[in-house]
PDB file of all heavy atoms in Angstrom:
ATOM      1  N   GLN K   3      36.719 -15.856 -46.595  1.00 87.00           N
ATOM      2  CA  GLN K   3      37.233 -15.219 -47.809  1.00 87.00           C
ATOM      3  C   GLN K   3      37.493 -16.260 -48.890  1.00 87.00           C
ATOM      4  O   GLN K   3      38.076 -17.314 -48.631  1.00 87.00           O
ATOM      5  CB  GLN K   3      38.539 -14.469 -47.486  1.00 87.00           C
ATOM      6  CG  GLN K   3      39.090 -13.653 -48.637  1.00 87.00           C
ATOM      7  CD  GLN K   3      38.195 -12.453 -49.008  1.00 87.00           C
ATOM      8  OE1 GLN K   3      37.822 -11.660 -48.147  1.00 87.00           O
ATOM      9  NE2 GLN K   3      37.831 -12.337 -50.285  1.00 87.00           N
ATOM     10  N   ILE K   5      37.449 -16.488 -53.581  1.00 83.00           N
ATOM     11  CA  ILE K   5      37.780 -15.759 -54.806  1.00 83.00           C
ATOM     12  C   ILE K   5      36.467 -15.412 -55.503  1.00 83.00           C
ATOM     13  O   ILE K   5      35.527 -16.204 -55.486  1.00 83.00           O
ATOM     14  CB  ILE K   5      38.623 -16.662 -55.744  1.00 83.00           C
ATOM     15  CG1 ILE K   5      39.974 -16.960 -55.101  1.00 83.00           C
ATOM     16  CG2 ILE K   5      38.814 -16.023 -57.107  1.00 83.00           C
ATOM     17  CD1 ILE K   5      40.760 -18.041 -55.810  1.00 83.00           C
ATOM     18  N   PRO K  20      25.304 -33.058 -51.201  1.00 69.00           N
ATOM     19  CA  PRO K  20      26.018 -34.099 -50.451  1.00 69.00           C
ATOM     20  C   PRO K  20      26.904 -34.920 -51.382  1.00 69.00           C
ATOM     21  O   PRO K  20      26.552 -35.140 -52.520  1.00 69.00           O
ATOM     22  CB  PRO K  20      24.896 -34.980 -49.884  1.00 69.00           C
ATOM     23  CG  PRO K  20      23.622 -34.448 -50.423  1.00 69.00           C
ATOM     24  CD  PRO K  20      23.912 -33.388 -51.425  1.00 69.00           C
ATOM     25  N   TYR K 175      16.284 -20.896 -59.973  1.00 86.00           N
ATOM     26  CA  TYR K 175      16.231 -21.309 -58.573  1.00 86.00           C
ATOM     27  C   TYR K 175      17.567 -21.217 -57.853  1.00 86.00           C
ATOM     28  O   TYR K 175      17.621 -21.265 -56.636  1.00 86.00           O
ATOM     29  CB  TYR K 175      15.693 -22.746 -58.475  1.00 86.00           C
ATOM     30  CG  TYR K 175      14.200 -22.789 -58.666  1.00 86.00           C
ATOM     31  CD1 TYR K 175      13.644 -23.077 -59.901  1.00 86.00           C
ATOM     32  CD2 TYR K 175      13.347 -22.471 -57.604  1.00 86.00           C
ATOM     33  CE1 TYR K 175      12.279 -23.080 -60.089  1.00 86.00           C
ATOM     34  CE2 TYR K 175      11.978 -22.479 -57.778  1.00 86.00           C
ATOM     35  CZ  TYR K 175      11.443 -22.781 -59.021  1.00 86.00           C
ATOM     36  OH  TYR K 175      10.094 -22.767 -59.189  1.00 86.00           O
ATOM     37  N   LEU K 219      22.851 -17.832 -45.782  1.00 96.00           N
ATOM     38  CA  LEU K 219      24.126 -17.360 -46.330  1.00 96.00           C
ATOM     39  C   LEU K 219      23.964 -16.009 -47.010  1.00 96.00           C
ATOM     40  O   LEU K 219      22.930 -15.730 -47.613  1.00 96.00           O
ATOM     41  CB  LEU K 219      24.648 -18.315 -47.401  1.00 96.00           C
ATOM     42  CG  LEU K 219      25.032 -19.732 -47.039  1.00 96.00           C
ATOM     43  CD1 LEU K 219      25.666 -20.401 -48.256  1.00 96.00           C
ATOM     44  CD2 LEU K 219      26.017 -19.744 -45.884  1.00 96.00           C
ATOM     45  N   ALA K 262      20.373  -0.349 -79.812  1.00 98.00           N
ATOM     46  CA  ALA K 262      21.576   0.190 -79.160  1.00 98.00           C
ATOM     47  C   ALA K 262      22.075   1.361 -79.986  1.00 98.00           C
ATOM     48  O   ALA K 262      22.848   1.202 -80.929  1.00 98.00           O
ATOM     49  CB  ALA K 262      22.636  -0.903 -79.063  1.00 98.00           C
ATOM     50  N   PRO K 309      33.322 -34.925 -80.444  1.00 94.00           N
ATOM     51  CA  PRO K 309      31.945 -34.965 -80.970  1.00 94.00           C
ATOM     52  C   PRO K 309      31.933 -35.233 -82.478  1.00 94.00           C
ATOM     53  O   PRO K 309      32.794 -34.742 -83.201  1.00 94.00           O
ATOM     54  CB  PRO K 309      31.408 -33.567 -80.654  1.00 94.00           C
ATOM     55  CG  PRO K 309      32.603 -32.704 -80.457  1.00 94.00           C
ATOM     56  CD  PRO K 309      33.708 -33.585 -80.002  1.00 94.00           C
ATOM     57  N   SER K 364      44.231 -27.410 -84.965  1.00 97.00           N
ATOM     58  CA  SER K 364      43.320 -27.750 -86.075  1.00 97.00           C
ATOM     59  C   SER K 364      44.098 -28.054 -87.352  1.00 97.00           C
ATOM     60  O   SER K 364      43.748 -28.965 -88.091  1.00 97.00           O
ATOM     61  CB  SER K 364      42.342 -26.604 -86.324  1.00 97.00           C
ATOM     62  OG  SER K 364      41.484 -26.459 -85.220  1.00 97.00           O
ATOM     63  N   VAL K 387      25.276 -18.047 -90.932  1.00 98.00           N
ATOM     64  CA  VAL K 387      26.427 -18.566 -90.190  1.00 98.00           C
ATOM     65  C   VAL K 387      27.713 -17.972 -90.749  1.00 98.00           C
ATOM     66  O   VAL K 387      27.851 -17.770 -91.958  1.00 98.00           O
ATOM     67  CB  VAL K 387      26.484 -20.110 -90.327  1.00 98.00           C
ATOM     68  CG1 VAL K 387      27.737 -20.667 -89.663  1.00 98.00           C
ATOM     69  CG2 VAL K 387      25.244 -20.743 -89.721  1.00 98.00           C
ATOM     70  N   SER K 395      48.149 -15.997 -87.027  1.00 98.00           N
ATOM     71  CA  SER K 395      49.317 -15.104 -87.017  1.00 98.00           C
ATOM     72  C   SER K 395      50.010 -15.050 -88.380  1.00 98.00           C
ATOM     73  O   SER K 395      51.049 -14.422 -88.510  1.00 98.00           O
ATOM     74  CB  SER K 395      50.312 -15.552 -85.943  1.00 98.00           C
ATOM     75  OG  SER K 395      50.746 -16.864 -86.206  1.00 98.00           O
ATOM     76  N   MET K 526      29.710  -9.728 -76.569  1.00 95.00           N
ATOM     77  CA  MET K 526      30.108  -9.742 -75.151  1.00 95.00           C
ATOM     78  C   MET K 526      29.330 -10.788 -74.357  1.00 95.00           C
ATOM     79  O   MET K 526      28.358 -11.365 -74.861  1.00 95.00           O
ATOM     80  CB  MET K 526      29.861  -8.363 -74.547  1.00 95.00           C
ATOM     81  CG  MET K 526      28.409  -7.925 -74.613  1.00 95.00           C
ATOM     82  SD  MET K 526      28.191  -6.167 -74.321  1.00 95.00           S
ATOM     83  CE  MET K 526      28.739  -5.463 -75.872  1.00 95.00           C
ATOM     84  N   MET K 556      47.042   9.687 -75.109  1.00 98.00           N
ATOM     85  CA  MET K 556      47.645   9.656 -73.764  1.00 98.00           C
ATOM     86  C   MET K 556      48.702   8.570 -73.633  1.00 98.00           C
ATOM     87  O   MET K 556      48.702   7.591 -74.386  1.00 98.00           O
ATOM     88  CB  MET K 556      46.554   9.419 -72.719  1.00 98.00           C
ATOM     89  CG  MET K 556      45.683  10.624 -72.492  1.00 98.00           C
ATOM     90  SD  MET K 556      44.406  10.226 -71.283  1.00 98.00           S
ATOM     91  CE  MET K 556      43.638  11.827 -71.149  1.00 98.00           C
TER      92      MET K 556
END
Side-chain angles (χ1 to χ4, degrees):
Q3 186 67 51
I5 294 169
Y175 283 96
L219 296 187
S364 294
V387 175
S395 60
M526 60 195 76
M556 287 178 176

